[in-house]
């Protein structure tokens, strides 16, 4: 025989802001229920106990409510541990102190005296309540059946205040079914997903984490901290780079949202956006926030027309919009995956047998490695370190009905798949956080778990590195890399269902962590994620083996005949290769492998930036070094997020007998060049390779890049000179003399000179044009030179994949400049520079974009391409991208519109090998 659950008598929902509270209080109620106009009131709830919480330990609550009506209200609740009904005493009193109230209520005094000496009771919690009340659903006698309270609670302790908001509903009389329907309708209509708990428990947790932080309180109370200043109608020269970067992530996300993109690739693009947003926070958000707090910077307008406060607020708004769109896209992709048989299922949908099998896996494979850490201020429990980019669960629990809530966290295991297969099902998976949530009794036995909420912390990505003071850069970078996981947090992603007070406690832990580490700034708010946190896991969704769900395999172009060494070919002609359409392994790896194996090769020199792990390139170098060849590797240890790999490869190369240079103080070496020296008769012949991309085999399959192989004396001599300066002088190269251009000293003035020549040609009536394909364009000096060229009548056509701070199409400034961005199956990475030169065009390829870091703070190289056939190929590539029918056209405000044109996709044409 089944029994119906007791009728619902009340409900509580958490509200996230004052604005949401006020909007809900004035909104019509759902289901056609009529309510009175909002009525405002305020009161204080004083909770009394002894210092050792003797009342709480006995399940007793003593509260004095002051100011709610003409009378104050003394309330006593006694919960009997044996299960007997709760004793309730509610007495109207005039006194506003406990002694006076007890004098007015002998019954309450006698009840309390049985447990504690009332003279020992002190107010342990002062909860100030601003309330908006609406009575609803009146009966025939005009008595309200329901009552709704829209409450704002402020708890003050030690000079610090914390505020939270709740909607609570009570049934006074009548229809319980209608009341339950109202609660559900409010939840759905206003997206109220988080049931709220007892406000006293909520407030007590906040008090336990009290912290005096006048600077933060001042910022929290300042409208200036969040206000976006009115836009200035004047057209400013430059766009904001961070906003441009977020816009690029939107274009990548559009590939994931496009149903024409194969499903497996859509899931991959979702993960790419997640990784890129992680990097945005790790690299850029700290400086944006610091500028917004700096009194000298926060109101000063930059070249983009924005103040630091404007800039931060706009970037955060754009990121929030992007994340909302990403979550919606993920839901669509999961729906489409379910349609082909790959489903992510909740614990509640599993059978008892499936749950038993998964629980057994928890017992055997997962729980032994989990370590719950209390988030408490107890001297014996230091605050846990919340690891970088790791998923963690914050668990709220009580040890008994009258106990205070406690908070602990544990990190999800990194050696267990995020998506666990459901036993007995072909392609159904369950997220590991859902599995662990459902089996928390294994980790927290004999407690009442009230919730477990997923979160992830992102920390700053910079290295604390004293390059000039370091005795050994390799050791310094290795040590700094080990310290990076302890950098200050810059973001906390939380599940939508995480209550605000839990989020606040996670933030407080990070603030204290920042203080311990001596960091000046700490993250001040959480980022609420509607759906899965860290969507990179979706790439592992077990889709069925269906060719329609992924891109067709790329058929690369026929390589050079294997019977003939590359050195023989390069003595006759240069080779221009375009990856991945020309396979990276067929050219770059082959070139280095032949050099390692050829007994006539004496020396290999190479720059290494991001080589990956494993690395076929480094394996070739190790083989060459072990064979007795002179291997000189310039390993850029400071390549962001690849430092650990590069330190390991540098040590391996040294161990094998290679000569390794670790980098230049204050600069990064980003140039991608290799030089092979081979003894041929009486002569030492040089062979060179210059690339737009890294010596990374995996990237060679995923990115479009150009490479030039040559034995020409002019270029190989320039590259030899570059290596001689890099390895022999410990200073930045000053310049090359035979046509190649090198940063940081030569490339920028040379680029400005090439643009100025086109400008002068246009003014003189000679043919003038500029065509450039890069990943980023943000150098103000270069942009102003392009504006001058446009004003002179130069047609400037740009393909810029990512950041672009130039404003195209502005009358009188850039009306002759167009910008297109192309994203697609392959991540665009090639760089091409073409200058019309009055009908005798010049072409360059190389490692450098047109951003300040490339031109001013890195060693970069561009090399000329003299071969007519190669120039024609570069022309063809440029024109394909400029006309790409799937490209995005940029307007003067930095907005992009996808073309949907009749012209084909450049990547599709190149993959098909079409002319």
């Amino acid at each position: 025989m089944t029994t119906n659950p007791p009728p619902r008598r009340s409900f509580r929902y958490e509200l996230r802001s004052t604005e949401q509270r006020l909007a809900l209080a004035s909104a019509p109620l759902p289901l056609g229920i009529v309510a009175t106009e909002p009525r405002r009131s305020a009161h204080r709830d004083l909770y009394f106990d002894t210092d050792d919480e003797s009342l709480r330990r006995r399940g007793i609550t003593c509260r004095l409510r002051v100011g709610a009506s003409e009378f104050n209200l003394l309330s006593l609740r006694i919960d009997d541990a044996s299960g007997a009904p709760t004793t309730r005493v509610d007495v109207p009193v005039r006194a506003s102190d406990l002694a006076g109230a007890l004098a007015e209520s002998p019954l309450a005094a006698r009840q309390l005296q049985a447990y504690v000496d009332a003279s020992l009771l002190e107010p342990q919690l002062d909860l100030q309540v601003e309330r908006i009340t609406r009575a609803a659903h009146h009966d025939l006698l005009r008595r309200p059946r329901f009552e709704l309270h829209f409450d704002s609670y402020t708890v003050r302790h030690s000079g610090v205040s914390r505020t939270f908001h709740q909607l609570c509903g009570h049934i006074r009389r009548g229809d319980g079914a209608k009341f339950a329907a109202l609660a559900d309708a409010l939840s759905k209509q206003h997206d109220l997903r988080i049931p709220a708990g007892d406000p006293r428990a909520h407030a007590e947790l906040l008090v336990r984490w009290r912290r005096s932080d006048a600077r933060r309180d001042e910022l929290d109370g300042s409208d200036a901290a969040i206000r976006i200043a009115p836009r200035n109608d004047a057209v400013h020269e430059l766009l904001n780079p961070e906003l441009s970067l977020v816009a690029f992530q939107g274009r990548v996300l559009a590939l994931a949202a496009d149903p024409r993109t194969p499903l497996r690739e859509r899931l991959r693009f979702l993960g790419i956006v997640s990784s890129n947003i992680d990097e945005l926070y790790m690299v850029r958000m700290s400086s944006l926030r610091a500028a917004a707090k700096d009194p000298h910077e926060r109101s000063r307008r930059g070249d983009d027309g924005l103040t630091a406060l404007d800039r931060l607020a706009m970037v955060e708004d754009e990121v929030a919009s992007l994340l909302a769109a990403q979550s919606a896209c993920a839901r669509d992709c999961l729906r489409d995956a379910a349609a082909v048989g790959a489903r992510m299922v909740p614990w509640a949908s599993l059978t008892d047998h499936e749950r038993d099998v998964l629980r057994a896996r928890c017992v055997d494979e997962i729980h032994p490695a989990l370590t719950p850490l209390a988030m408490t201020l107890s001297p014996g429990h230091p605050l846990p370190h919340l690891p970088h980019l790791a998923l963690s669960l914050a668990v709220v629990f009580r040890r008994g009905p009258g106990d205070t809530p406690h908070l602990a966290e544990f990190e999800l295991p990194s050696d267990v798949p995020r998506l666990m297969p459901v036993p007995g099902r072909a392609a159904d998976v369950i997220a590991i956080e859902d599995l662990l949530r459902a089996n928390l009794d294994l980790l927290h036995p004999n407690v009442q778990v009230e919730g477990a909420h997923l979160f992830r912390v992102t920390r700053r990505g910079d290295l604390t590195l004293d390059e000039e003071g370091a005795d050994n850069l390799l050791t310094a970078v290795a040590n700094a890399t080990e310290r990076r996981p302890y950098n200050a947090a810059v973001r906390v992603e939380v599940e939508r269902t995480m209550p605000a007070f839990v989020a606040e406690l996670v933030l407080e832990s990070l603030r204290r962590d920042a203080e311990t580490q001596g960091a000046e700034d700490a993250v001040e708010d959480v980022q609420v994620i509607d759906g899965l946190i860290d969507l990179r896991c979706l790439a592992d969704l077990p889709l069925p083996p269906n060719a329609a769900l992924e891109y067709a395999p790329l058929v690369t172009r026929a390589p050079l005949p294997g019977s003939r060494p590359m050195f023989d070919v390069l003595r006759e002609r240069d080779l221009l290769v375009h990856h991945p359409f020309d396979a990276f392994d067929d050219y770059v790896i082959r070139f280095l492998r032949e050099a390692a194996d050829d007994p006539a090769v004496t020396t290999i020199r190479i720059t290494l930036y991001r080589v990956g792990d494993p690395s076929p390139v480094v394996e070739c170098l190790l083989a060459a070094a072990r064979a007795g060849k002179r291997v000189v590797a310039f390993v850029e240890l400071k390549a962001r997020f690849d430092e650990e790999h590069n330190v390991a490869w540098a040590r391996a190369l040294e161990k094998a007998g290679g000569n390794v240079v670790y980098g230049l103080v204050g600069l990064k070496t980003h140039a991608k060049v290799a030089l092979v020296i081979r003894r041929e008769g009486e002569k030492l012949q040089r062979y060179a390779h210059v690339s737009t991309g890294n010596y990374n085999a995996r990237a060679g399959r995923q990115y479009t890049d150009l490479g030039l192989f040559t034995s020409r004396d002019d270029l190989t001599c320039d590259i030899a000179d570059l290596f001689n300066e890099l390895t022999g002088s410990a200073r930045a190269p000053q310049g090359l003399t035979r046509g190649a251009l090198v940063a940081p000293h030569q490339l920028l003035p040379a680029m400005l000179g090439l643009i100025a020549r086109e400008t002068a040609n246009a003014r003189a009536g000679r043919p003038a044009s500029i065509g450039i394909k890069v990943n980023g364009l943000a150098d103000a000096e270069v942009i102003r030179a392009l504006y001058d060229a446009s004003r002179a009548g130069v047609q400037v056509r740009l393909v810029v994949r990512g950041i672009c701070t130039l404003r195209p199409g502005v009358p009188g400034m850039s009306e002759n400049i167009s910008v297109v961005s192309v994203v697609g199956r392959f991540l665009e990475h090639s760089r091409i520079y073409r200058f019309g030169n009055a009908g005798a065009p010049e072409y360059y390829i190389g490692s450098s974009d047109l951003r300040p870091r490339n031109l001013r703070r890195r060693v970069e190289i561009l090399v000329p391409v003299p071969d007519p056939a190669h120039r024609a190929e570069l022309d063809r590539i440029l024109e394909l991208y400029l006309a790409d029918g799937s490209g995005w056209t940029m307007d003067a405000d930095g907005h992009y519109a996808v073309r949907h044109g009749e012209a084909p996709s450049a990547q599709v044409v190149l993959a098909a090998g079409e002319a």
Side-chain angles (χ1 to χ4, degrees):
M1 179 178 178
T2 59
T3 57
N4 293 324
R8 193 173 185 179
R9 307 299 300 176
S10 65
F11 63 81
R12 287 182 182 272
Y13 290 115
E14 182 177 288
L15 306 178
R16 290 203 169 269
S17 65
T18 298
E19 292 75 16
Q20 186 185 26
R21 169 177 167 261
L22 296 176
L24 276 173
S26 60
L29 296 183
L31 307 178
I33 295 175
V34 178
T36 60
E37 289 298 311
R39 177 174 58 84
R40 293 177 177 269
S41 62
H43 63 267
R44 294 168 62 204
D45 283 338
L46 300 170
Y47 291 88
F48 292 85
D49 206 337
T50 62
D51 287 341
D52 61 354
E53 296 187 327
S54 58
L55 289 184
R56 178 184 288 283
R57 286 187 282 106
R58 293 176 170 87
I60 301 170
T61 302
C62 177
R63 184 191 73 189
L64 181 62
R65 176 165 288 178
V66 178
S69 62
E70 179 182 353
F71 288 91
N72 299 323
L73 184 68
L74 176 64
S75 298
L76 197 63
R77 299 285 186 273
I78 303 175
D79 293 319
D80 194 312
S82 66
T86 298
T87 300
R88 299 172 181 269
V89 177
D90 292 297
V91 183
V93 296
R94 291 191 177 276
S96 57
D97 64 292
L98 181 61
L102 290 174
E104 294 182 49
S105 175
L107 174 60
R110 286 196 301 273
Q111 293 277 7
L112 270 177
Q113 200 65 37
Y115 297 97
V116 70
D117 181 352
S119 66
L120 299 177
L121 296 176
E122 297 287 345
Q124 302 296 326
L125 184 69
D126 183 352
L127 196 56
Q128 300 173 24
V129 185
E130 296 179 24
R131 170 165 286 177
I132 300 174
T133 301
R134 299 183 73 182
H137 197 38
H138 293 73
D139 61 15
L140 294 176
L141 299 179
R142 302 188 60 77
R143 297 174 302 180
R145 297 185 178 94
F146 312 150
E147 195 169 73
L148 302 178
H149 300 305
F150 305 84
D151 291 335
S152 179
Y153 298 93
T154 300
V155 54
R156 300 182 187 278
H157 202 290
S158 300
V160 177
S161 67
R162 295 287 185 264
T163 299
F164 58 95
H165 313 280
Q166 291 185 358
L167 161 61
C168 58
H170 304 279
I171 184 169
R172 298 305 184 199
R173 57 183 59 81
D175 186 359
K178 189 79 169 180
F179 180 73
L182 172 62
D184 292 340
L186 281 168
S187 173
K188 292 176 182 176
Q189 181 172 318
H190 298 286
D191 200 22
L192 306 176
R193 303 191 187 184
I194 307 178
D198 174 20
R200 178 196 179 189
H202 188 148
E204 285 177 332
L205 267 177
L206 293 178
V207 165
R208 287 169 62 194
W209 290 75
R210 62 190 179 273
R211 177 176 184 267
S212 179
D213 189 342
R215 182 185 55 78
R216 179 175 181 267
D217 290 341
E218 177 186 351
L219 194 62
D220 285 347
S222 169
D223 288 342
I226 57 174
R227 181 185 297 129
I228 298 177
R231 293 295 300 271
N232 191 323
D233 290 336
V235 174
H236 296 275
E237 283 189 322
L238 304 179
L239 296 167
N240 176 258
E242 287 78 21
L243 290 172
S244 182
L245 183 59
V246 177
F248 169 59
Q249 310 313 325
R251 300 194 293 281
V252 178
L253 181 59
L255 284 169
D258 189 342
R260 295 171 298 180
T261 303
L263 181 57
R264 193 181 300 279
E265 311 303 334
R266 294 172 66 190
L267 298 173
R268 180 173 67 90
F269 285 122
L270 278 172
I272 289 172
V273 174
S274 291
S275 296
N276 290 347
I277 293 299
D278 287 347
E279 186 168 331
L280 170 72
Y281 276 88
M282 293 161 67
V283 175
R284 292 176 175 268
M285 288 305 291
S286 290
S287 59
L288 287 175
R289 289 170 179 165
K293 292 176 183 177
D294 187 331
H296 301 292
E297 292 291 329
R298 60 190 302 168
S299 299
R300 186 178 64 84
R301 294 191 182 276
D303 290 337
D304 56 6
L306 302 174
T307 67
L309 282 171
D310 296 339
R311 207 170 287 123
L312 176 62
M314 292 176 73
V315 169
E316 289 181 334
D317 285 350
E318 290 300 314
V319 169
S321 297
L322 177 71
L323 292 175
Q326 187 190 23
S327 294
C329 179
R331 288 193 293 272
D332 291 342
C333 289
L334 285 170
R335 180 199 62 218
D336 293 345
V340 298
R343 299 184 304 164
M344 194 162 70
V345 298
W347 179 262
S349 71
L350 303 182
T351 67
D352 289 343
H353 172 70
E354 291 164 345
R355 293 181 186 183
D356 289 343
V357 175
L358 286 170
R359 182 176 174 88
R361 286 198 66 182
C362 279
V363 171
D364 295 337
E365 303 173 30
I366 302 175
H367 273 274
L370 299 181
T371 304
L373 298 171
M375 300 181 75
T376 174
L377 301 185
S378 168
H381 283 80
L383 288 168
H385 174 75
L386 300 176
H388 173 57
L389 293 183
L391 293 166
S392 301
L393 275 173
V395 183
V396 183
F397 63 90
R398 299 175 192 263
R399 294 190 176 89
D403 186 40
T404 57
H406 300 268
L407 185 66
E409 65 87 24
F410 65 89
E411 181 183 347
L412 271 60
S414 59
D415 57 350
V416 176
R418 174 84 181 277
L419 304 181
M420 301 280 289
V422 177
R425 303 196 193 186
D428 285 358
V429 293
I430 182 171
I432 191 173
E433 59 265 30
D434 289 346
L435 174 61
L436 294 175
R437 235 189 302 253
N439 292 277
L440 281 172
D441 60 301
L442 297 173
L443 200 62
H444 294 280
N446 305 317
V447 301
Q448 176 186 342
V449 175
E450 297 191 344
H453 311 284
L454 195 70
F455 68 95
R456 188 176 77 135
V457 173
T458 306
R459 296 181 178 273
R460 287 171 54 177
D462 54 335
L463 295 183
T464 304
L465 183 65
D466 179 11
E467 294 184 53
E468 294 186 354
D471 293 330
N472 182 295
L473 188 59
L474 180 70
T475 302
V477 171
N479 293 339
T481 303
E482 291 177 359
R483 293 192 300 269
R484 181 158 57 192
Y486 298 92
N487 283 355
V490 289
R491 176 175 61 158
V492 183
E493 300 163 271
V494 304
E495 287 183 307
R496 180 67 181 276
T497 55
M498 178 181 280
F501 80 96
V502 177
E504 174 63 23
L505 299 187
V506 172
L507 288 172
E508 186 63 35
S509 177
L510 290 167
R511 292 181 196 119
R512 292 176 180 272
D513 182 51
E515 287 181 348
T516 301
Q517 300 297 327
E520 295 183 1
D521 297 314
V523 62
E524 294 177 346
D525 204 356
V526 297
Q527 189 175 77
V528 179
I529 303 298
D530 195 1
L532 280 172
I533 295 176
D534 190 3
L535 293 173
R536 290 176 296 182
C537 66
L538 292 182
D540 297 325
L541 202 64
L543 298 178
N546 183 338
L549 300 180
E550 52 193 313
Y551 288 124
L554 175 66
V555 179
T556 57
R557 294 189 285 225
L560 294 173
S563 59
R564 193 177 182 206
M566 285 188 69
F567 301 116
D568 290 352
V569 176
L570 295 179
R571 278 195 299 274
E572 299 171 359
R573 60 187 175 92
D574 291 357
L575 291 175
L576 179 71
V577 294
H578 194 187
H579 308 305
F581 317 107
D582 296 305
F584 187 85
D585 287 6
D586 290 343
Y587 288 91
V588 179
I589 302 301
R590 177 179 170 182
F591 177 69
L592 294 171
R593 186 175 293 123
E594 288 185 3
D597 294 341
D598 188 341
V601 169
T602 64
T603 305
I604 302 174
R605 301 180 184 179
I606 192 168
T607 58
L608 301 178
Y609 193 74
R610 300 186 193 277
V611 296
D613 185 15
S615 173
V617 167
V618 178
E619 292 299 333
C620 292
L621 299 176
L622 291 171
R626 292 173 185 139
K629 301 182 190 305
R630 183 171 179 79
V631 174
V632 182
F634 195 102
V635 182
E636 181 48 74
L637 299 181
K638 296 169 290 183
R640 185 182 282 127
F641 310 130
D642 274 78
E643 297 96 343
E644 289 183 64
H645 290 159
N646 289 1
V647 165
W649 288 129
R651 287 173 171 162
L653 285 165
E654 286 182 326
K655 186 176 180 181
N659 295 98
V660 180
V661 179
Y662 304 141
L664 300 175
V665 173
L667 296 172
K668 288 184 180 180
T669 298
H670 191 248
K672 282 80 176 186
V673 291
L675 186 68
V676 172
I677 301 173
R678 186 172 186 267
R679 182 170 294 281
E680 297 177 359
E682 299 295 322
K683 179 182 178 184
L684 287 175
Q685 176 65 49
R686 297 186 184 102
Y687 299 89
H689 172 248
V690 182
S691 179
T692 66
N694 290 298
Y695 287 108
N696 185 313
R698 184 167 178 263
R701 294 187 292 270
Q702 296 179 337
Y703 290 74
T704 67
D705 269 306
L706 290 162
L708 181 67
F709 293 91
T710 185
S711 64
R712 287 187 289 115
D713 285 344
D714 56 351
L715 184 50
T716 58
C717 285
D718 263 352
I719 292 174
D721 289 347
L722 171 61
F723 274 111
N724 289 339
E725 281 210 78
L726 288 176
T727 61
S729 68
R731 64 173 189 171
Q734 300 302 299
L736 302 173
T737 59
R738 300 170 182 85
L741 306 173
V742 65
H745 299 301
Q746 181 186 31
L747 179 54
L748 176 59
M751 185 62 58
L752 295 174
L754 290 167
I755 297 171
R757 185 183 63 189
E758 298 302 313
T759 304
N761 285 338
R763 287 179 176 147
R766 294 186 290 269
S769 65
I770 297 172
I772 296 174
K773 181 180 184 295
V774 286
N775 302 320
L777 169 58
D779 189 87
E781 197 169 356
V782 170
I783 290 172
R784 291 183 179 115
L786 291 172
Y787 288 159
D788 286 343
S790 173
R791 293 187 188 101
V794 180
Q795 294 299 309
V796 180
R797 299 193 296 166
L798 308 174
V799 181
V800 185
R801 182 195 70 180
I803 290 177
C804 180
T805 60
L806 176 147
R807 291 181 181 269
V810 178
M813 184 172 79
S814 60
E815 64 265 43
N816 291 313
I817 302 177
S818 64
V819 178
V820 62
S821 173
V822 175
V823 291
R825 170 182 180 175
F826 305 108
L827 306 177
E828 287 298 328
H829 198 251
S830 57
R831 290 114 169 168
I832 303 172
Y833 296 83
R834 180 180 67 192
F835 299 92
N837 192 28
E842 293 184 2
Y843 298 75
Y844 296 85
I845 65 167
S847 60
S848 184
D849 289 319
L850 296 175
R851 296 172 62 181
R853 67 181 189 180
N854 301 100
L855 299 171
R856 302 162 191 270
R857 300 191 299 275
R858 289 183 173 182
V859 176
E860 305 273 12
I861 190 169
L862 295 182
V863 297
V865 181
D867 185 275
H870 294 161
R871 291 179 168 204
E873 179 62 12
L874 294 179
D875 274 335
R876 172 177 175 260
I877 293 170
L878 264 178
E879 293 304 320
L880 280 172
Y881 281 103
L882 287 165
D884 193 309
S886 65
W888 297 72
T889 301
M890 180 183 176
D891 69 15
D893 292 325
H895 300 136
Y896 290 79
V898 67
R899 285 172 165 171
H900 294 305
E902 295 182 0
S905 157
Q907 291 185 6
V908 169
V909 173
L910 291 165
E914 299 172 15

